[in-house]
Amino acid sequence: MNGIIGTWMLCVAASAPAATWHEDYTEALQAARGDRKPLLVVLHNPQQAQQKVSQVTHVTKEANSLLENYHVCRIDVSTANGKRVAGVFRATSFPYTVITDRNAQKIIFRKGGAFTDTQWSETLADYRRGSKPIAMASFSQPSSFGGPDCPT
C-alpha cells in the first residue's frame, strides 16, 4: 500500500505544471503589467550551446515553483524580431537575462552570460517580488562597547 501511495505522490509532484514561456515580448509585457508580476526575459540563441540558458528548457522543481512569481518570456535572438528586442535592451552578448519590477516598468536586474542552477534559483528567489533585494549590512561592535545593549 505504501508503495502505491509513494508512486502516486511522485507522479503528482512530477506533473506540476511547467512555466508557460511567452515567445512574444509585447504579449508578455502586457500580461506582466496586467497581473502586476515581474517580467523575466531571456534573450538567447537556442541553436548555439554557449548562447542559451539551459534553465529555460530544463527547469528544476524549485526553479519551476519560483517561476510562478513571474511572467516569463524567451526571445530567440537569431530571428529578426529577436534581434530587434535585443537592440531595445542594448544586449550585445548572449544569453542575456532581464527582470523588471512588478509593474513591468523598470529593469531591476540584468545579466549577460549563463547561470549555474544555483545562481538561477537564487536570482529567481531574490527578485520574485519585483523589487531589488535588500542587502543586509553587518555591523561588528568593538569590544569596548561591552554587551549587545545600546550605550546609555
Side-chain angles (χ1 to χ4, degrees):
M1 183 70 160
N2 285 343
I4 293 170
I5 293 171
T7 302
W8 177 80
M9 290 177 68
L10 182 62
C11 289
V12 169
S15 66
T20 302
W21 288 83
H22 293 272
E23 304 284 337
D24 182 292
Y25 174 72
T26 303
E27 178 184 294
L29 182 63
Q30 290 172 348
R33 287 181 176 165
D35 292 342
R36 294 186 48 111
K37 281 185 167 184
L39 176 61
L40 170 81
V41 180
V42 175
L43 303 159
H44 69 146
N45 185 341
Q47 287 77 37
Q48 299 286 328
Q50 72 277 15
Q51 292 185 5
K52 71 179 187 177
V53 175
S54 63
Q55 290 84 358
V56 170
T57 55
H58 301 96
V59 180
T60 66
K61 190 169 27 169
E62 176 190 10
N64 193 49
S65 174
L66 289 166
L67 284 170
E68 292 175 6
N69 297 290
Y70 298 87
H71 273 281
V72 291
C73 180
R74 61 181 165 214
I75 302 296
D76 181 348
V77 298
S78 68
T79 68
N81 183 57
K83 289 175 183 164
R84 184 185 61 76
V85 174
V88 170
F89 283 108
R90 291 184 226 127
T92 56
S93 63
F94 306 101
Y96 194 81
T97 305
V98 174
I99 299 174
T100 70
D101 66 349
R102 67 186 185 125
N103 298 314
Q105 297 287 329
K106 296 179 184 171
I107 295 172
I108 59 172
F109 174 85
R110 56 174 78 225
K111 177 187 185 310
F115 290 85
T116 65
D117 286 342
T118 301
Q119 290 171 327
W120 182 250
S121 292
E122 287 174 353
T123 300
L124 295 177
D126 286 348
Y127 293 90
R128 71 184 179 275
R129 291 185 181 89
S131 57
K132 290 183 181 181
I134 299 171
M136 299 301 287
S138 62
F139 176 74
S140 84
Q141 294 182 15
S143 59
S144 61
F145 279 130
D149 298 327
C150 290
T152 55

